[in-house]
Amino acid sequence: MRTEEAILQATQKLLATRGIHGMSLDLLAEEVGIAKSSILWHFGSKEELLLRVAERVLEEAARGPVQEMLALPTLAERADAAWRFFEDTIRHRPELRRLVLWLIFECVEERPEMRTRLQQLYRSIRQMFEAGLREVAPDPAQRRRLAIITVATFDGIFLQWLLEPEAIDVESLHRELRLLNEPVTRRRARKDE
């Protein structure tokens, strides 16, 4: 497992410095100090390796930042923490979100097993958002819909930011969404009185 771990760590490093297209298995093998065939033995293909990196990053987020967010007492605090995490990711680790997009657009058509695993990855992300909405949306179907909308919002903002980062002010968007949420928060407070 040490070799596999070294490969995963080196892959993340190369993705951050060279991007997806600049990261080759030959370069990765050189970085880790192993033969390219060893990478293929562990992962089977570059696509599989990249998917494992994406799954790993999600697992790390689920164990750390997501648990911290879910422990916050109010929905507003959770939403603020989610936005800070999102903003930090796109500003400091955009290769991670690009990786998922690349996998979706490059692999899912020809590789049904990749499609299934990417569906599971997105399902896991939606489930994390659903967990954060339990106190405010008791109906599971409504939580599921709200989670879909939330993930779609983050993905859409990220795509626009990738294309034109200077035109997309994530902090301003966060403030606007908070203003949109205020009437819902006030209605809920009146209902609870």
Side-chain angles (χ1 to χ4, degrees), residues 81-103:
W83 272 89
R84 283 191 304 275
F85 182 76
F86 171 70
E87 187 172 5
D88 183 61
T89 300
I90 65 172
R91 292 192 192 285
H92 304 292
R93 298 183 76 188
E95 73 281 355
L96 299 178
R97 294 195 62 90
R98 285 185 187 120
L99 171 61
V100 173
L101 292 174
W102 183 85
L103 288 166

Side-chain angles (χ1 to χ4, degrees), residues 9-46:
Q9 287 181 7
T11 301
Q12 282 188 257
K13 178 182 168 189
L14 287 173
L15 285 171
T17 57
R18 294 181 167 262
I20 293 163
H21 297 292
M23 192 218 73
S24 69
L25 293 182
D26 291 322
L27 189 60
L28 180 59
E30 183 180 316
E31 178 78 22
V32 179
I34 59 174
K36 179 179 171 179
S37 59
S38 181
I39 296 169
L40 293 171
W41 185 84
H42 283 280
F43 296 97
S45 68
K46 180 178 179 179

Side-chain angles (χ1 to χ4, degrees), residues 74-84 154 174:
T74 68
L75 180 63
E77 289 172 301
R78 291 175 192 169
D80 286 345
W83 272 89
R84 283 191 304 275
F154 280 124
H174 181 206

